[in-house]
Amino acid sequence: MSSTEPIMSGRVFLEFGQKPDEPGVIARPGAQRRYPDEVRDQLAADAREIVARYPQARSALLPLLHLVQAQDGYLTPAGIVFCAEVLDLTAAEVMAVATFYSMYRRTPTGDYLVGVCTNTLCAVMGGDEIFASLAAHLELGGSGTTDDGLVTLEHIECNAACDYAPVMMVNWEFFDDQTPASARQVVDDLRAGRPVTPTRGAPMCTFRETARILAGFPDTRPGANDGAPGEPTLTGLRTARDRGMQAPAEPGSPTPSPSAPARPDEEA
């Protein structure tokens, strides 16, 4: 500062956090702030069932957030206040948790949340190309929701499925070994209302239905709990056993004796 510039005095106001018009703000125009009585009564009944599973009520916060997300399709002020009142927490405490985890949505989400992994291995294997292809095909500039409200597209971080890279997820269900063409076919089928079955798991349900399952309510879809590790997942295990490889023993513990490789039906 030069000697000729005036010296400012007085208080300086600093505002932290997101700007009111920044994407991802939960208290947004049109967001529900209180539930109607009939909705609240049903949520309260579901919440009692969830809370009863835990020795301490506040441990139920994560499934309760999924419950209100199943109601609204994303987190709203009404959902935050509901969780706070059920668990005797402040809204700030609920917000601190809700804004930490990416599975809790802060903006309206389509019936099908399509996430393309663009982390290191998936990107190398074509994840970036898949994302760009879907964004153009859905007429989105990047991440966003289609005009019909059916599909929300986003980048996602590693889903621990590198053995099937590049991976796409729809409502947290895996679509392995994808290509731009196969990914486009998936979203076209979803938008057209045609049945879509992921690589692992039961036929697709909507994002709100998925959120209710994550809240801890039964998944009644046929085959929802079927499945087993695939060949790429077991390759490393088989190689280690064929070569007699073992994890190092802890200091002071007895040296384990070599074990014979397990049969394939024992590995899963």
Side-chain angles (χ1 to χ4, degrees):
M1 179 183 297
S2 68
S3 58
T4 59
E5 292 179 320
I7 298 176
M8 302 297 293
S9 62
R11 297 180 179 180
V12 176
F13 178 72
L14 298 177
E15 184 175 359
F16 295 94
Q18 294 173 307
K19 298 177 181 178
D21 59 347
E22 186 175 350
V25 175
I26 290 178
R28 56 192 300 113
Q32 192 159 213
R33 298 189 175 264
R34 297 289 297 188
Y35 289 124
D37 290 343
E38 64 275 12
V39 172
R40 184 177 178 81
D41 289 346
Q42 181 57 57
L43 287 174
D46 290 338
R48 285 192 294 271
E49 183 177 340
I50 292 172
V51 173
R53 301 171 188 157
Y54 297 89
Q56 295 186 7
R58 67 181 298 151
S59 298
L61 178 54
L62 296 184
L64 282 181
L65 286 169
H66 283 300
L67 176 67
V68 296
Q69 185 157 261
Q71 175 63 38
D72 298 318
Y74 67 110
L75 294 184
T76 64
I80 297 296
V81 170
F82 175 82
C83 292
E85 291 177 351
V86 167
L87 301 178
D88 194 25
L89 300 173
T90 65
E93 288 174 308
V94 175
M95 284 283 288
V97 175
T99 55
F100 181 82
Y101 295 101
S102 61
M103 290 183 75
Y104 300 120
R105 308 288 299 171
R106 306 182 206 177
T107 53
T109 301
D111 286 344
Y112 300 101
L113 175 61
V114 176
V116 180
C117 181
T118 53
N119 216 314
T120 307
L121 183 56
C122 279
V124 169
M125 298 295 287
D128 288 328
E129 183 182 358
I130 291 171
F131 183 89
S133 175
L134 284 178
H137 185 64
L138 296 171
E139 299 181 346
L140 299 170
S143 297
T145 301
T146 55
D147 290 339
D148 58 13
L150 290 177
V151 174
T152 295
L153 176 67
E154 68 172 8
H155 293 274
I156 52 175
E157 291 299 316
C158 181
N159 285 279
C162 302
D163 40 352
Y164 292 103
V167 171
M168 179 174 79
M169 298 191 84
V170 180
N171 295 349
W172 315 121
E173 298 283 3
F174 285 96
F175 287 79
D176 302 324
D177 299 316
Q178 290 298 292
T179 65
S182 67
R184 291 194 302 269
Q185 186 63 56
V186 168
V187 298
D188 284 347
D189 288 342
L190 291 171
R191 298 180 82 185
R194 292 187 286 266
V196 175
T197 301
T199 309
R200 305 169 244 172
M204 294 302 309
C205 59
T206 67
F207 179 75
R208 294 190 188 202
E209 290 167 336
T210 300
R212 185 169 176 82
I213 294 167
L214 292 173
F217 293 95
D219 187 347
T220 58
R221 295 173 296 166
N225 298 310
D226 295 346
E231 182 62 31
T233 305
L234 297 174
T235 298
L237 177 64
R238 289 199 176 102
T239 300
R241 287 179 170 169
D242 288 345
R243 297 182 180 181
M245 301 167 67
Q246 296 182 5
E250 294 185 15
S253 64
T255 302
S257 58
S259 58
R263 300 191 309 273
D265 60 343
E266 295 178 330
E267 294 172 344

